[in-house]
Coordinates of all heavy atoms in Angstrom, one line a residue:
M405 N 3.3 1.4 -7.2 CA 2.5 1.5 -6.0 C 3.1 2.7 -5.2 O 3.9 2.5 -4.3 CB 2.5 0.2 -5.3 CG 1.9 -0.9 -6.0 SD 1.9 -2.5 -5.2 CE 0.9 -2.1 -3.8
N406 N 2.6 3.8 -5.5 CA 3.0 5.0 -4.8 C 2.5 5.0 -3.4 O 1.4 4.5 -3.2 CB 2.5 6.3 -5.6 CG 2.9 6.3 -7.0 OD1 4.1 6.1 -7.3 ND2 2.0 6.4 -7.9
I407 N 3.2 5.6 -2.5 CA 2.7 5.7 -1.1 C 2.4 7.2 -0.8 O 3.3 8.0 -1.1 CB 3.8 5.2 -0.1 CG1 4.0 3.7 -0.3 CG2 3.4 5.4 1.3 CD1 5.0 3.0 0.5
R408 N 1.3 7.4 -0.2 CA 0.9 8.7 0.3 C 1.0 8.7 1.8 O 0.4 7.8 2.4 CB -0.5 9.2 -0.1 CG -0.7 10.6 0.4 CD -1.7 11.4 -0.4 NE -1.5 11.5 -1.8 CZ -0.9 12.5 -2.4 NH1 -0.2 13.4 -1.8 NH2 -0.9 12.5 -3.8
Y409 N 1.9 9.6 2.3 CA 2.1 9.6 3.8 C 1.9 11.1 4.2 O 2.6 12.0 3.8 CB 3.5 9.2 4.1 CG 3.9 9.3 5.6 CD1 3.2 8.6 6.6 CD2 4.9 10.2 6.0 CE1 3.5 8.7 7.9 CE2 5.3 10.3 7.3 CZ 4.6 9.6 8.2 OH 4.9 9.7 9.6
R410 N 0.8 11.3 5.0 CA 0.5 12.6 5.6 C 0.5 13.7 4.5 O 1.1 14.7 4.7 CB 1.4 12.9 6.7 CG 1.3 12.0 7.9 CD 2.1 12.4 9.0 NE 1.9 11.5 10.2 CZ 2.5 11.6 11.3 NH1 3.5 12.5 11.5 NH2 2.2 10.8 12.3
G411 N -0.1 13.4 3.4 CA -0.2 14.4 2.3 C 0.9 14.5 1.3 O 0.9 15.1 0.3
R412 N 2.0 13.7 1.6 CA 3.2 13.7 0.7 C 3.2 12.4 -0.1 O 3.0 11.4 0.5 CB 4.4 13.8 1.6 CG 5.7 14.1 0.8 CD 6.9 14.3 1.7 NE 7.1 13.0 2.4 CZ 7.6 12.9 3.6 NH1 7.8 13.9 4.3 NH2 7.8 11.7 4.2
L413 N 3.4 12.6 -1.4 CA 3.4 11.4 -2.2 C 4.9 10.9 -2.4 O 5.7 11.7 -2.8 CB 2.8 11.7 -3.6 CG 2.6 10.5 -4.5 CD1 1.6 9.6 -4.0 CD2 2.2 11.0 -5.9
V414 N 5.1 9.6 -2.2 CA 6.4 9.0 -2.4 C 6.2 8.1 -3.6 O 5.6 7.0 -3.5 CB 6.8 8.2 -1.2 CG1 8.2 7.6 -1.4 CG2 6.8 9.1 0.1
P415 N 6.7 8.5 -4.8 CA 6.5 7.7 -6.0 C 7.3 6.4 -6.0 O 8.4 6.4 -5.5 CB 6.9 8.7 -7.1 CG 7.8 9.7 -6.5 CD 7.4 9.7 -5.0
D416 N 6.7 5.4 -6.7 CA 7.3 4.2 -6.9 C 7.8 4.2 -8.3 O 7.0 4.1 -9.3 CB 6.3 3.0 -6.7 CG 6.9 1.6 -7.0 OD1 8.1 1.5 -7.3 OD2 6.2 0.7 -6.9
S417 N 9.1 4.3 -8.5 CA 9.7 4.5 -9.9 C 9.7 3.2 -10.6 O 9.7 3.1 -11.9 CB 11.0 5.1 -9.8 OG 11.9 4.3 -9.0
E418 N 9.7 2.0 -9.9 CA 9.8 0.7 -10.6 C 8.4 0.2 -10.9 O 8.1 -0.2 -12.0 CB 10.6 -0.2 -9.7 CG 12.0 0.1 -9.5 CD 12.8 -0.9 -8.6 OE1 12.3 -2.0 -8.5 OE2 13.8 -0.5 -8.1
G419 N 7.6 0.2 -9.9 CA 6.2 -0.3 -10.1 C 6.1 -1.8 -10.2 O 7.1 -2.5 -10.4
D420 N 4.9 -2.4 -10.2 CA 4.6 -3.8 -10.4 C 3.6 -3.9 -11.5 O 2.6 -3.1 -11.5 CB 4.1 -4.5 -9.1 CG 5.2 -4.5 -8.0 OD1 6.3 -4.7 -8.3 OD2 4.8 -4.2 -6.9
E421 N 3.7 -4.8 -12.4 CA 2.7 -5.0 -13.4 C 1.9 -6.3 -13.0 O 2.5 -7.3 -12.8 CB 3.3 -5.2 -14.8 CG 3.8 -3.9 -15.4 CD 4.1 -4.0 -16.8 OE1 3.4 -4.7 -17.5 OE2 5.0 -3.4 -17.2
L422 N 0.6 -6.1 -13.0 CA -0.3 -7.2 -12.6 C -1.4 -7.4 -13.7 O -1.8 -6.5 -14.3 CB -1.0 -7.0 -11.2 CG 0.0 -6.8 -10.1 CD1 -0.6 -6.2 -8.9 CD2 0.6 -8.1 -9.8
P423 N -1.7 -8.7 -13.9 CA -2.6 -9.0 -15.1 C -4.0 -8.5 -15.0 O -4.6 -8.2 -16.0 CB -2.5 -10.5 -15.2 CG -2.2 -11.0 -13.8 CD -1.3 -9.9 -13.2
V424 N -4.6 -8.6 -13.8 CA -6.0 -8.3 -13.7 C -6.2 -7.3 -12.5 O -5.4 -7.4 -11.5 CB -6.9 -9.5 -13.5 CG1 -6.9 -10.3 -14.8 CG2 -6.5 -10.4 -12.3
E425 N -7.3 -6.6 -12.5 CA -7.5 -5.6 -11.5 C -7.7 -6.2 -10.1 O -7.3 -5.7 -9.1 CB -8.8 -4.8 -11.8 CG -9.0 -3.6 -10.9 CD -10.1 -2.6 -11.4 OE1 -10.2 -2.5 -12.7 OE2 -10.8 -2.1 -10.6
E426 N -8.3 -7.4 -10.0 CA -8.5 -8.1 -8.7 C -7.1 -8.4 -8.1 O -7.0 -8.3 -6.8 CB -9.3 -9.4 -8.8 CG -10.7 -9.2 -9.3 CD -10.9 -9.0 -10.8 OE1 -10.1 -9.5 -11.5 OE2 -11.8 -8.3 -11.2
A427 N -6.1 -8.7 -8.9 CA -4.8 -9.0 -8.4 C -4.2 -7.8 -7.8 O -3.3 -7.9 -6.8 CB -3.9 -9.6 -9.5
V428 N -4.5 -6.6 -8.2 CA -3.9 -5.3 -7.7 C -4.2 -5.1 -6.3 O -3.3 -4.9 -5.5 CB -4.4 -4.1 -8.6 CG1 -4.0 -2.8 -8.0 CG2 -3.9 -4.3 -10.0
R429 N -5.5 -5.3 -5.9 CA -5.9 -5.1 -4.5 C -5.2 -6.1 -3.6 O -4.7 -5.8 -2.5 CB -7.4 -5.1 -4.3 CG -7.9 -4.8 -2.9 CD -9.4 -4.7 -2.8 NE -9.8 -4.1 -1.6 CZ -9.8 -4.7 -0.4 NH1 -9.3 -5.9 -0.3 NH2 -10.2 -4.1 0.7
D430 N -5.2 -7.4 -4.0 CA -4.6 -8.5 -3.2 C -3.1 -8.2 -3.0 O -2.6 -8.4 -1.9 CB -4.9 -9.8 -3.9 CG -6.3 -10.3 -3.8 OD1 -7.1 -9.7 -3.0 OD2 -6.7 -11.2 -4.6
H431 N -2.5 -7.8 -4.1 CA -1.0 -7.5 -4.0 C -0.8 -6.3 -3.1 O 0.1 -6.4 -2.3 CB -0.5 -7.2 -5.5 CG 0.9 -7.0 -5.6 ND1 1.9 -8.0 -5.3 CD2 1.7 -5.9 -5.9 CE1 3.1 -7.5 -5.5 NE2 3.0 -6.3 -5.8
A432 N -1.6 -5.3 -3.2 CA -1.4 -4.1 -2.4 C -1.6 -4.4 -0.9 O -0.9 -4.0 0.0 CB -2.3 -3.0 -2.8
L433 N -2.6 -5.2 -0.6 CA -2.9 -5.7 0.8 C -1.7 -6.5 1.3 O -1.3 -6.3 2.5 CB -4.2 -6.5 0.9 CG -5.5 -5.7 1.0 CD1 -6.7 -6.6 0.8 CD2 -5.5 -4.9 2.3
A434 N -1.2 -7.4 0.5 CA 0.0 -8.2 1.0 C 1.2 -7.3 1.3 O 1.8 -7.5 2.3 CB 0.3 -9.2 -0.1
I435 N 1.5 -6.4 0.4 CA 2.6 -5.5 0.7 C 2.4 -4.6 1.9 O 3.2 -4.4 2.7 CB 2.9 -4.7 -0.6 CG1 3.5 -5.6 -1.7 CG2 4.0 -3.6 -0.2 CD1 3.7 -4.9 -3.0
A436 N 1.1 -4.0 2.0 CA 0.8 -3.2 3.2 C 0.9 -4.0 4.5 O 1.5 -3.5 5.5 CB -0.6 -2.6 3.0
R437 N 0.4 -5.2 4.4 CA 0.6 -6.1 5.6 C 2.0 -6.3 6.0 O 2.4 -6.2 7.2 CB -0.1 -7.5 5.3 CG -0.2 -8.4 6.6 CD -0.8 -9.7 6.3 NE -1.9 -9.7 5.3 CZ -1.8 -10.2 4.1 NH1 -0.7 -10.7 3.6 NH2 -2.9 -10.2 3.3
D438 N 2.9 -6.6 5.0 CA 4.3 -6.7 5.3 C 4.9 -5.5 5.9 O 5.7 -5.5 6.9 CB 5.1 -7.1 4.1 CG 4.8 -8.5 3.6 OD1 4.2 -9.3 4.4 OD2 5.1 -8.8 2.4
L439 N 4.5 -4.3 5.4 CA 5.1 -3.0 5.9 C 4.6 -2.7 7.3 O 5.3 -2.4 8.2 CB 4.7 -1.9 4.9 CG 5.4 -1.9 3.6 CD1 4.8 -0.9 2.6 CD2 6.9 -1.7 3.7
V440 N 3.3 -2.9 7.5 CA 2.6 -2.6 8.8 C 3.2 -3.5 9.9 O 3.5 -3.0 11.0 CB 1.1 -2.7 8.7 CG1 0.5 -2.7 10.1 CG2 0.5 -1.6 7.9
F441 N 3.3 -4.7 9.6 CA 3.7 -5.7 10.7 C 5.2 -6.1 10.7 O 5.6 -6.8 11.6 CB 2.8 -6.9 10.6 CG 1.4 -6.6 10.8 CD1 0.4 -6.8 9.8 CD2 0.9 -6.1 12.0 CE1 -0.9 -6.5 10.0 CE2 -0.4 -5.8 12.3 CZ -1.3 -6.0 11.2
G442 N 5.9 -5.6 9.7 CA 7.3 -6.1 9.7 C 8.4 -5.1 9.4 O 9.6 -5.4 9.4
T443 N 8.0 -3.8 9.1 CA 9.0 -2.9 8.6 C 8.9 -1.6 9.5 O 7.9 -1.0 9.7 CB 8.8 -2.4 7.2 OG1 8.8 -3.6 6.4 CG2 9.8 -1.5 6.7
R444 N 10.1 -1.2 10.0 CA 10.2 0.0 10.8 C 11.0 1.0 10.0 O 12.1 0.7 9.4 CB 10.9 -0.2 12.1 CG 10.1 -1.2 13.0 CD 10.0 -0.6 14.4 NE 9.3 -1.6 15.2 CZ 8.0 -1.5 15.5 NH1 7.3 -0.6 14.9 NH2 7.4 -2.4 16.3
M445 N 10.5 2.3 9.9 CA 11.3 3.3 9.3 C 11.2 4.6 10.1 O 10.1 4.9 10.6 CB 10.7 3.6 7.9 CG 10.9 2.5 6.9 SD 10.2 3.0 5.2 CE 11.4 4.3 4.8
D446 N 12.3 5.3 10.3 CA 12.3 6.5 11.0 C 11.5 7.6 10.3 O 10.9 8.4 11.0 CB 13.8 7.0 11.2 CG 14.6 6.1 12.2 OD1 14.0 5.4 13.0 OD2 15.8 6.1 12.0
A447 N 11.5 7.6 9.0 CA 10.7 8.6 8.3 C 9.2 8.4 8.3 O 8.5 9.4 8.2 CB 11.2 8.6 6.8
I448 N 8.8 7.2 8.6 CA 7.3 6.9 8.7 C 7.0 6.4 10.1 O 7.4 5.3 10.5 CB 6.8 5.9 7.6 CG1 7.1 6.5 6.3 CG2 5.4 5.6 7.9 CD1 6.7 5.7 5.1
R449 N 6.4 7.3 10.9 CA 6.1 6.9 12.3 C 5.0 5.9 12.5 O 5.1 5.1 13.3 CB 5.8 8.2 13.1 CG 7.0 9.1 13.2 CD 6.7 10.3 14.1 NE 7.8 11.2 14.1 CZ 8.6 11.3 15.1 NH1 8.4 10.6 16.2 NH2 9.6 12.2 15.1
S450 N 4.0 6.0 11.6 CA 2.9 5.0 11.6 C 2.5 4.7 10.2 O 2.1 5.6 9.5 CB 1.7 5.6 12.4 OG 0.6 4.7 12.3
W451 N 2.6 3.4 9.9 CA 2.1 3.0 8.6 C 0.6 3.2 8.4 O 0.1 3.3 7.3 CB 2.4 1.5 8.4 CG 3.9 1.2 8.1 CD1 4.8 0.6 9.0 CD2 4.7 1.6 7.0 NE1 6.0 0.6 8.5 CE2 6.0 1.2 7.2 CE3 4.4 2.2 5.8 CZ2 7.0 1.4 6.3 CZ3 5.4 2.5 4.9 CH2 6.7 2.0 5.1
F452 N -0.1 3.3 9.5 CA -1.6 3.6 9.4 C -1.9 5.0 8.9 O -3.0 5.3 8.6 CB -2.3 3.3 10.7 CG -2.2 1.8 11.0 CD1 -1.6 1.3 12.1 CD2 -2.8 0.8 10.2 CE1 -1.5 0.0 12.5 CE2 -2.7 -0.5 10.5 CZ -2.1 -0.9 11.6
D453 N -0.9 5.8 8.8 CA -1.0 7.2 8.2 C -0.8 7.1 6.7 O -0.7 8.2 6.0 CB 0.0 8.2 8.8 CG -0.4 8.5 10.3 OD1 -1.6 8.3 10.7 OD2 0.5 8.9 11.0
C454 N -0.5 5.9 6.1 CA -0.2 5.8 4.7 C -1.3 5.1 3.9 O -2.2 4.5 4.5 CB 1.0 4.9 4.6 SG 2.5 5.5 5.3
S455 N -1.2 5.4 2.6 CA -2.1 4.7 1.7 C -1.3 4.5 0.4 O -0.4 5.2 0.1 CB -3.4 5.4 1.4 OG -3.1 6.7 0.8
F456 N -1.7 3.4 -0.3 CA -1.1 3.2 -1.6 C -2.0 4.0 -2.6 O -3.2 4.0 -2.5 CB -1.2 1.7 -2.0 CG 0.0 0.9 -1.5 CD1 -0.2 -0.3 -0.8 CD2 1.3 1.3 -1.7 CE1 0.8 -1.0 -0.3 CE2 2.3 0.6 -1.3 CZ 2.1 -0.6 -0.6
E457 N -1.4 4.6 -3.6 CA -2.1 5.2 -4.7 C -1.5 4.5 -5.9 O -0.4 4.7 -6.3 CB -1.8 6.7 -4.8 CG -2.5 7.5 -3.7 CD -2.4 9.0 -3.9 OE1 -2.0 9.5 -5.0 OE2 -2.8 9.7 -3.0
I458 N -2.4 3.6 -6.4 CA -1.9 2.7 -7.5 C -2.4 3.3 -8.8 O -3.6 3.6 -9.0 CB -2.4 1.3 -7.3 CG1 -1.9 0.8 -5.9 CG2 -2.0 0.4 -8.4 CD1 -2.5 -0.4 -5.4
T459 N -1.5 3.4 -9.8 CA -1.8 4.0 -11.1 C -1.7 2.9 -12.2 O -1.0 2.0 -12.0 CB -1.0 5.2 -11.4 OG1 0.4 4.8 -11.4 CG2 -1.2 6.3 -10.4
D460 N -2.3 3.2 -13.3 CA -2.1 2.4 -14.5 C -0.9 2.9 -15.3 O -0.3 3.9 -14.8 CB -3.4 2.3 -15.3 CG -3.9 3.6 -15.9 OD1 -3.1 4.6 -15.9 OD2 -5.0 3.6 -16.4
K461 N -0.7 2.4 -16.5 CA 0.5 2.8 -17.3 C 0.4 4.3 -17.7 O 1.4 4.9 -18.0 CB 0.6 1.9 -18.5 CG 1.0 0.5 -18.2 CD 1.2 -0.3 -19.5 CE 1.6 -1.7 -19.2 NZ 1.7 -2.5 -20.4
T462 N -0.8 4.8 -17.8 CA -1.0 6.2 -18.2 C -0.9 7.2 -17.0 O -0.9 8.4 -17.2 CB -2.4 6.4 -18.9 OG1 -3.4 6.3 -17.9 CG2 -2.6 5.5 -20.0
G463 N -0.8 6.7 -15.8 CA -0.7 7.5 -14.6 C -2.0 7.8 -14.0 O -2.0 8.5 -13.0
R464 N -3.1 7.2 -14.5 CA -4.4 7.4 -13.9 C -4.5 6.6 -12.6 O -4.1 5.4 -12.6 CB -5.5 7.0 -14.9 CG -6.9 7.1 -14.4 CD -7.9 6.7 -15.4 NE -7.7 5.3 -15.8 CZ -8.4 4.3 -15.2 NH1 -9.4 4.5 -14.3 NH2 -8.2 3.0 -15.6
V465 N -5.0 7.1 -11.5 CA -5.1 6.4 -10.3 C -6.3 5.4 -10.4 O -7.4 5.8 -10.8 CB -5.4 7.4 -9.1 CG1 -5.7 6.6 -7.8 CG2 -4.2 8.3 -8.9
V466 N -6.0 4.1 -10.2 CA -7.0 3.1 -10.3 C -7.4 2.5 -9.0 O -8.5 1.9 -8.8 CB -6.5 1.9 -11.2 CG1 -6.3 2.4 -12.6 CG2 -5.3 1.3 -10.7
L467 N -6.6 2.8 -7.9 CA -7.0 2.3 -6.6 C -6.2 3.1 -5.5 O -5.0 3.4 -5.7 CB -6.6 0.8 -6.4 CG -6.8 0.2 -5.1 CD1 -8.3 0.1 -4.8 CD2 -6.2 -1.2 -5.0
V468 N -7.0 3.5 -4.5 CA -6.4 4.1 -3.3 C -6.7 3.1 -2.2 O -7.8 2.8 -1.9 CB -6.9 5.5 -3.0 CG1 -6.4 6.0 -1.7 CG2 -6.6 6.4 -4.1
L469 N -5.6 2.6 -1.5 CA -5.8 1.6 -0.5 C -5.1 2.1 0.8 O -3.9 2.1 0.9 CB -5.2 0.3 -0.9 CG -5.4 -0.8 0.1 CD1 -6.6 -1.7 -0.2 CD2 -4.2 -1.7 0.2
P470 N -5.9 2.5 1.8 CA -5.4 2.9 3.1 C -4.7 1.7 3.7 O -5.3 0.6 3.7 CB -6.5 3.4 3.9 CG -7.7 3.5 3.0 CD -7.4 2.7 1.8
F471 N -3.6 1.8 4.4 CA -2.9 0.7 5.0 C -3.8 0.1 6.1 O -3.6 -1.1 6.4 CB -1.6 1.1 5.6 CG -0.5 1.2 4.5 CD1 -0.8 1.5 3.2 CD2 0.8 0.8 4.8 CE1 0.2 1.6 2.2 CE2 1.8 0.9 3.9 CZ 1.5 1.2 2.6
D472 N -4.7 0.8 6.7 CA -5.5 0.2 7.8 C -6.5 -0.8 7.3 O -7.1 -1.5 8.0 CB -6.2 1.3 8.7 CG -7.2 2.1 7.9 OD1 -7.4 1.9 6.7 OD2 -7.7 3.0 8.5
A473 N -6.5 -1.0 5.9 CA -7.4 -2.0 5.3 C -6.9 -3.4 5.8 O -7.7 -4.3 5.7 CB -7.4 -1.9 3.8
V474 N -5.6 -3.5 6.2 CA -5.1 -4.8 6.6 C -5.8 -5.3 7.8 O -5.8 -6.5 8.1 CB -3.6 -4.8 6.7 CG1 -2.9 -4.5 5.4 CG2 -3.1 -4.0 7.9
L475 N -6.3 -4.4 8.6 CA -7.0 -4.7 9.9 C -8.4 -5.4 9.6 O -8.8 -6.1 10.5 CB -7.2 -3.5 10.8 CG -5.9 -2.9 11.2 CD1 -6.2 -1.6 12.0 CD2 -5.0 -3.8 12.0
G476 N -9.0 -5.1 8.5 CA -10.3 -5.7 8.2 C -10.2 -7.0 7.4 O -11.2 -7.6 7.1
E477 N -9.0 -7.5 7.2 CA -8.8 -8.8 6.5 C -9.4 -9.9 7.3 O -9.1 -10.0 8.5 CB -7.4 -9.1 6.1 CG -6.8 -8.1 5.1 CD -5.4 -8.6 4.7 OE1 -4.5 -8.1 5.4 OE2 -5.3 -9.4 3.8
P478 N -10.1 -10.9 6.7 CA -10.6 -12.0 7.4 C -9.6 -12.9 8.1 O -9.8 -13.5 9.1 CB -11.4 -12.8 6.4 CG -11.2 -12.2 5.1 CD -10.4 -10.9 5.3
D479 N -8.4 -13.0 7.5 CA -7.3 -13.8 8.0 C -6.3 -13.1 8.9 O -5.2 -13.5 9.1 CB -6.6 -14.6 6.9 CG -5.8 -13.6 5.9 OD1 -6.1 -12.4 6.0 OD2 -5.0 -14.1 5.2
F480 N -6.7 -11.9 9.4 CA -5.8 -11.1 10.2 C -5.4 -11.9 11.4 O -6.2 -12.5 12.1 CB -6.6 -9.8 10.7 CG -5.8 -9.0 11.6 CD1 -4.7 -8.3 11.2 CD2 -6.1 -9.0 13.0 CE1 -3.9 -7.5 12.1 CE2 -5.4 -8.2 13.9 CZ -4.2 -7.5 13.4
G481 N -4.1 -11.9 11.6 CA -3.5 -12.6 12.7 C -3.1 -14.0 12.5 O -2.5 -14.6 13.3
S482 N -3.4 -14.5 11.3 CA -3.0 -15.9 11.0 C -1.7 -15.9 10.3 O -1.3 -14.9 9.7 CB -4.1 -16.6 10.1 OG -4.1 -16.0 8.9
A483 N -1.0 -17.0 10.4 CA 0.4 -17.1 9.9 C 0.3 -17.6 8.4 O -0.6 -18.2 8.0 CB 1.2 -18.0 10.7

């Protein structure tokens, strides 16, 4: 799950393997939510300037998910 931040790509060398495509989006949203609401980094001033670029085993981009997608979740704000 590579992160694109202001035009710069930060590759994920480990990655996560998920069984089905639907699980990819849910997993990406969960991680984005954790980063947006729980992680502070000096190098990234706003997580909302980030997106995940998720690739398959061949390196083909299968999903681009802007971090602001967490704001449109139906359960936003629930614990």
Side-chain angles (χ1 to χ4, degrees):
M405 297 180 63
N406 306 308
I407 294 177
R408 180 151 315 264
Y409 174 64
R410 295 184 174 176
R412 190 176 66 214
L413 187 67
V414 181
D416 176 4
S417 59
E418 294 178 24
D420 296 320
E421 287 193 35
L422 299 165
V424 293
E425 192 169 322
E426 294 82 31
V428 172
R429 186 174 192 287
D430 292 344
H431 184 66
L433 276 170
I435 292 173
R437 187 182 322 108
D438 289 346
L439 291 171
V440 167
F441 297 114
T443 304
R444 299 228 182 265
M445 290 182 69
D446 291 335
I448 297 179
R449 294 182 184 255
S450 172
W451 287 109
F452 293 117
D453 291 336
C454 296
S455 61
F456 278 127
E457 288 187 10
I458 301 166
T459 59
D460 62 13
K461 289 181 182 182
T462 68
R464 180 180 62 96
V465 175
V466 296
L467 177 68
V468 174
L469 182 96
F471 279 34
D472 63 2
V474 301
L475 298 176
E477 290 187 270
D479 63 347
F480 175 71
S482 64

